[in-house]
Amino acid sequence: YVKYINAIPDDVVLYIAGTKEALSEISSLQTAHEYKTCLITDNTYQKAYRELYAVKNEYDIVAMLVMSDVEISQPYSDYDSWQYRDWENLLGTESIIYNIIATFRDNNKLGMLVPPVPHHGVLFEKQAYGYQGRYEEVEAYVNEHAPGISCKITEPPQSPFGGSFFIRSAALAPCDENADRDVYLMSYIYMVQ
């Protein structure tokens, strides 16, 4: 992760959210980029997202990149390559970051950019035709939280598998503390279009 943190341009503000233990480990890394920390009581996506939401009025574009334990199930290479693709596509080089920023500035209706959805190994099966086997839950979430939405939920969302994305700050919405992360992310992609 140090390679990616060091690729972030100096004029981009970096926040690292984590538990006290995680932040103490991160502080020992030799990074060239200065960063601010956000302490969360437990390492849940929803709490980290709420920290991101709390600073939304300070920035035009924000990103969330998830540092994940990639040794979830064997073969470990499936999850490792997914994490690598996420970070390479969102923070691979300074030029990639500036290109993402320029893409938002050149497309004022663009709400969100996500890395490619993984379609390999065990992750292919987990995608289950794009809804991870949870179409009804996604449909119910969208109907409850965005009843006037103008798009149809017939095409599977290209949602940020794992939770990493760039988003226009104005498109950020509160995250229900009890919301299932995957259902929330699959629903959210419709709400920012």
Side-chain angles (χ1 to χ4, degrees):
Y1 295 111
V2 171
K3 168 194 167 201
Y4 300 107
I5 291 171
N6 289 339
I8 298 172
D10 290 337
D11 59 341
V12 173
V13 179
L14 171 65
Y15 287 82
I16 298 180
T19 61
K20 187 176 180 181
E21 297 78 23
L23 291 175
S24 67
E25 286 183 38
I26 289 170
S27 66
S28 68
L29 299 175
Q30 299 299 312
T31 62
H33 196 291
E34 292 184 17
Y35 59 88
K36 300 177 181 182
T37 59
C38 300
L39 181 65
I40 54 179
T41 53
D42 55 57
N43 206 9
T44 65
Y45 183 85
Q46 289 85 346
K47 290 189 179 181
Y49 181 89
R50 278 199 299 283
E51 289 296 328
L52 179 72
Y53 184 76
V55 299
K56 81 176 228 155
N57 293 329
E58 298 177 37
Y59 309 102
D60 295 330
I61 303 162
V62 294
M64 182 156 181
L65 283 100
V66 177
M67 292 183 187
S68 183
D69 180 2
V70 295
E71 294 184 356
I72 296 170
S73 63
Q74 291 189 2
Y76 296 144
S77 59
D78 286 347
Y79 283 91
D80 188 43
S81 62
W82 149 65
Q83 185 81 96
Y84 173 79
R85 281 173 34 147
D86 271 13
W87 283 70
E88 278 293 312
N89 280 281
L90 297 177
L91 289 184
T93 65
E94 185 175 293
S95 294
I96 288 172
I97 297 165
Y98 280 132
N99 283 340
I100 290 171
I101 293 168
T103 300
F104 276 99
R105 289 198 176 128
D106 294 343
N107 300 279
N108 64 354
K109 292 187 179 184
L110 177 65
M112 186 179 209
L113 285 174
V114 300
V117 177
H119 292 291
H120 60 276
V122 297
L123 300 177
F124 178 77
E125 180 182 0
K126 184 170 181 156
Q127 286 293 329
Y129 303 107
Y131 289 101
Q132 300 178 30
R134 304 175 80 181
Y135 174 84
E136 290 80 12
E137 292 172 74
V138 171
E139 183 180 40
Y141 192 93
V142 170
N143 289 337
E144 179 182 345
H145 293 87
I149 200 162
S150 62
C151 69
K152 295 182 180 174
I153 312 177
T154 53
E155 291 296 317
Q158 295 299 306
S159 63
F161 182 84
S164 297
F165 56 85
F166 269 80
I167 191 168
R168 193 174 302 280
S169 299
L172 281 168
C175 178
D176 180 354
E177 186 172 328
N178 300 316
D180 178 274
R181 183 193 72 168
D182 294 331
V183 170
Y184 176 75
L185 288 170
M186 285 184 280
S187 304
Y188 202 73
I189 204 77
Y190 294 112
M191 294 188 260
V192 298
Q193 292 181 0

